[in-house]
Amino acid sequence: MPTISKITTQKSSEERFNVFLNDGKGEKFAFSVDQNILLKYGLKKGLELDEMEILEIQYGDSVKKAFNKAIEFLGFRMRSEKETADMLLKKEYPESVVTEVIHQLRHYKYVNDSEFADAFVRTHWKTGGKGPGVIKRELSLKGIDKATAEKALEQYTKEDQIEQAMVHAEKTVRKEAKSSSVQTKQKIEQTLLRKGFNFDVISIVTEEMTYENNDDEEYQSLVKQAEKLKRKYAKEKPSAYRLKMKQALYRKGFQIDMIERFLNEEEEQD
């Protein structure tokens, strides 16, 4: 049976040791271990080790190394269990080792998916302004189950959602200053859907928002849009030009009577 013939400290780390075995045919390096593993298994010169004991020691050392790597990873910010497991798997630790490490991390409360989900919701709601739909999808990608995600999202009240949605809507109104009222409303709805807000919240926001232009403002918006379209259809025959202008401006949300007014005024100028 192989016997430990020598234990030396690694040059790169005083907390790791190289273990040499002699199986009767000569001494050779067998494996390296962490200081805690060395003490746990009572490794010392002259100790006999069978194959199963060696495998157990190596497994324990892999768990210890993976655990240390996980602690380092968790030191930067909170992580979900899945994020931590994925990192270790990417570092090519065996699945059995990763499973054991996650179990230990959970035991020592280094990972807690409920607390992670709570913090994630607060951060992405208050600093990112995301709606609950987007946050829930992102939590799912991080391995948070549906029940835990929904529990964490309870802190994001409807009133808070409306407040965040209003911020996005106001930015959209400023951005779409040259657009028709219909276009602006559509842009608000599209933006809020993309941000993860539900139709109930979107409906409340569009009702409360002041995005509709008065007639003069609406007409000025139409003129600005029409100036761009005139270049596009400049080579068309008069009848085709009028029809295409009318269709294009209508698609942009302007009212027929206002479009007719512009086209008539344009013809009078010519």
Side-chain angles (χ1 to χ4, degrees):
M1 187 179 295
T3 303
I4 296 178
S5 57
K6 183 171 62 177
I7 298 176
T8 61
T9 304
Q10 288 189 353
K11 293 181 180 180
S12 59
S13 174
E14 294 183 355
E15 295 184 355
R16 289 197 62 79
F17 299 84
N18 295 326
V19 178
F20 295 80
L21 295 177
N22 191 322
D23 59 0
K25 298 178 182 179
E27 180 183 83
K28 62 180 180 179
F29 169 78
F31 52 83
S32 62
V33 294
D34 182 90
Q35 185 178 35
N36 290 342
I37 300 298
L38 186 80
L39 296 173
K40 177 180 177 180
Y41 290 93
L43 302 181
K44 59 183 179 180
K45 184 176 179 179
L47 180 67
E48 291 184 342
L49 297 173
D50 60 28
E51 184 176 349
M52 289 301 296
E53 288 173 326
I54 292 172
L55 289 174
E56 183 182 350
I57 291 167
Q58 290 176 319
Y59 173 78
D61 187 61
S62 291
V63 170
K64 181 61 179 177
K65 285 194 291 186
F67 184 86
N68 290 341
K69 181 64 67 176
I71 293 298
E72 179 183 338
F73 182 65
L74 292 165
F76 294 101
R77 64 172 174 81
M78 289 183 72
R79 313 273 186 172
S80 67
E81 289 186 10
K82 183 179 184 299
E83 284 183 297
T84 308
D86 286 348
M87 181 277 295
L88 294 175
L89 290 170
K90 190 175 181 180
K91 297 291 183 182
E92 299 186 347
Y93 286 102
E95 286 190 19
S96 59
V97 169
V98 174
T99 299
E100 176 59 27
V101 169
I102 295 299
H103 174 74
Q104 291 185 14
L105 291 171
R106 195 183 300 135
H107 174 74
Y108 291 112
K109 302 187 186 306
Y110 286 117
V111 291
N112 184 310
D113 276 357
S114 293
E115 292 181 1
F116 171 83
D118 285 343
F120 188 91
V121 169
R122 286 194 299 273
T123 299
H124 289 267
W125 143 35
K126 294 183 178 180
T127 63
K130 295 178 181 179
V134 167
I135 295 175
K136 190 173 181 178
R137 287 196 296 273
E138 291 181 352
L139 284 172
S140 178
L141 292 173
K142 293 181 181 298
I144 305 302
D145 63 75
K146 183 179 178 180
T148 301
E150 290 179 349
K151 179 68 176 175
L153 281 164
E154 288 178 1
Q155 65 186 298
Y156 196 179
T157 66
K158 187 174 182 178
E159 289 72 22
D160 292 322
Q161 293 174 38
I162 292 170
E163 182 180 345
Q164 290 298 325
M166 287 291 288
V167 172
H168 293 303
E170 288 166 357
K171 289 180 181 178
T172 302
V173 169
R174 290 194 294 272
K175 185 178 178 181
E176 300 296 325
K178 297 180 181 180
S179 301
S180 69
S181 299
V182 172
Q183 275 186 312
T184 301
K185 182 181 179 183
Q186 290 174 342
K187 287 288 186 180
I188 291 171
E189 291 171 342
Q190 292 167 1
T191 297
L192 296 182
L193 277 173
R194 190 172 62 252
K195 293 288 184 180
F197 295 96
N198 62 37
F199 287 105
D200 187 27
V201 169
I202 293 172
S203 177
I204 292 171
V205 170
T206 53
E207 286 178 9
E208 291 185 3
M209 277 296 300
T210 302
Y211 60 84
E212 294 184 356
N213 299 324
N214 59 41
D215 287 347
D216 288 340
E217 292 171 334
E218 188 81 348
Y219 188 71
Q220 289 306 312
S221 294
L222 184 152
V223 171
K224 291 175 182 177
Q225 294 289 334
E227 290 299 326
K228 298 177 184 178
L229 292 169
K230 283 168 64 174
R231 293 191 291 272
K232 183 176 180 181
Y233 302 126
K235 296 182 180 180
E236 298 286 347
K237 293 180 180 180
S239 59
Y241 170 83
R242 186 180 180 91
L243 177 61
K244 290 186 178 182
M245 285 289 287
K246 188 181 294 186
Q247 291 172 337
L249 290 169
Y250 185 75
R251 286 196 298 270
K252 289 182 179 294
F254 295 104
Q255 297 176 8
I256 288 293
D257 59 345
M258 198 169 284
I259 297 172
E260 291 285 359
R261 172 189 165 189
F262 170 80
L263 292 173
N264 292 337
E265 289 179 357
E266 186 180 34
E267 287 178 356
E268 290 174 3
Q269 291 172 1
D270 293 340

